[in-house]
Amino acid sequence: MTAPRRILALSGGGLRGIIEVAFLEAIEAEYRRRHGPGQICDWFDLIGGTSTGALIATALALGKPLSEIRDFYLVRARNFFSDRRWWKYGLAPVFDCAGLERELRRDVGALRLGDPDFRTHLAIVTKRLDTGAPWIVSNIPTSPYFNDGPDGQWIGNRHFEVARLLRAASAAPTLFSHQELEIARGQPPGVFVDGGLSVYNDPSLALLRLARLRAFGLNWPLGPENLFILSLGTGRLRARVPLHRVRNTSAFMHAVRSLLGVSADGDQISLTMMEWMGISPNPSRIDSEIGTLAQEHLAGDPLFTFLRLDLSLETDDLRSLGHDPARISLNSLRAIDRPEAIGPLYELAKTHIRRHVDLENWLI
């Protein structure tokens, strides 16, 4: 029997990426139980991520041990997320962009996307602000822009420095500054920001495009037994704003909340479409109108197996996992930029996995 193609999609969410790390540790342990020694990159044919998910995806594709990725969040993230300059909020980046790039280069140095160090296919999601287009930049050698364009029309993706791509992918407005990348020699650079500002905060649909569209050259076979797509989240929460707060909020904060809402809407669209096209061993509740899509398939038959794993950040769910509000507030747990929340989120995610996640039966 031919092994299925596997895709791993890692959502954005700042320091809440530690939730994905907890899931990945359990996933790696399950695959090792089945197949013996190995790492995530040995079992997934394409790993892609948005924002913090792009950082994790890159480390996984390079074969970095999960212990190093965990330490990046638990220890090293404080190097660029602790110096909070509130007086700059809305005027300039709140956090140290140079510190972030230094930490990224500790791991990838001057590595380029086309270098042979990668052990599997990698995709990084970012948003090109000056053209308004999402960019899914991959090391797939058959993709259209991997090599240089004729007569120097563009610089091939293979030449992009990975550290600069990751800075671009994680350039969340108000938190970090944008990143400029040279696209064509002698032309103005492209301006890039966090990929979570596109519809691909959950990059599942973007990665499915890479796997199936003729342009990218992979054309992996369909079927629940042939294609498995695993999507990991960084915590889900339905954002609610009381009326009195809406009425007393500045126009700037309305804009920030609206951007966050667009990202959440994109996650919901991705989840709906993936579970509608595929089949899930653990169907999600889409909303109060639809319920689950366990018995509905857009194409008549499911095109692939899809599994979404996430941690609910709703008050009652966190309380059931042992959240202690005296130790850390709900607001800190739900924020994407609070170093003090990393450890508690990691422990909550591990408890959730132990109690509610059946990887033995859900993973393909």
Side-chain angles (χ1 to χ4, degrees), residues 144-181:
Y145 292 101
F146 185 72
N147 294 303
D148 292 346
D151 301 322
Q153 288 178 318
W154 65 79
I155 297 172
N157 293 348
R158 66 183 307 152
H159 301 297
F160 285 149
E161 276 196 302
V162 174
R164 291 174 66 82
L165 279 176
L166 294 178
R167 259 285 287 121
S170 55
T174 75
L175 300 185
F176 295 104
S177 64
H178 67 271
Q179 177 68 53
E180 296 183 0
L181 297 175

Side-chain angles (χ1 to χ4, degrees), residues 218-277:
L218 295 180
N219 196 31
W220 289 342
L222 292 173
E225 70 286 352
N226 295 324
L227 185 59
F228 174 52
I229 303 171
L230 173 61
S231 174
L232 304 185
T234 58
R236 67 180 186 275
L237 173 72
R238 184 173 181 178
R240 300 173 176 85
V241 184
L243 179 60
H244 72 275
R245 186 172 297 174
V246 173
R247 288 173 171 171
N248 293 288
T249 296
S250 68
F252 173 75
M253 285 308 302
H254 275 309
V256 171
R257 288 200 179 105
S258 297
L259 283 174
L260 294 174
V262 169
S263 179
D265 291 345
D267 286 353
Q268 186 72 357
I269 290 170
S270 177
L271 179 65
T272 302
M273 294 305 300
M274 296 300 290
E275 295 210 355
W276 197 12
M277 290 188 289

Side-chain angles (χ1 to χ4, degrees), residues 27-94:
I27 291 161
E28 186 173 80
E30 173 58 24
Y31 279 126
R32 285 177 174 173
R33 185 190 68 80
R34 298 182 189 186
H35 305 296
Q39 295 175 269
I40 294 294
C41 60
D42 298 318
W43 300 301
F44 285 88
D45 304 277
L46 171 60
I47 304 175
T50 302
S51 191
T52 197
L55 274 61
I56 298 172
T58 301
L60 294 173
L62 288 168
K64 302 280 187 183
L66 279 168
S67 58
E68 286 188 15
I69 303 174
R70 181 183 64 236
D71 287 347
F72 178 87
Y73 287 89
L74 291 175
V75 180
R76 294 167 54 194
R78 296 179 184 276
N79 293 340
F80 52 90
F81 264 101
S82 292
D83 183 19
R84 188 186 304 271
R85 297 168 290 184
W86 282 121
W87 63 273
K88 291 189 174 184
Y89 194 68
L91 301 174
V94 173

Side-chain angles (χ1 to χ4, degrees), residues 95-123:
F95 294 109
D96 180 12
C97 306
L100 172 58
E101 185 158 351
R102 281 196 302 271
E103 290 299 321
L104 294 175
R105 288 192 179 276
R106 278 181 58 183
D107 294 321
V108 300
L111 183 73
R112 297 182 184 273
L113 196 59
D115 289 351
D117 304 62
F118 293 100
R119 293 169 52 180
T120 191
H121 291 313
L122 169 69

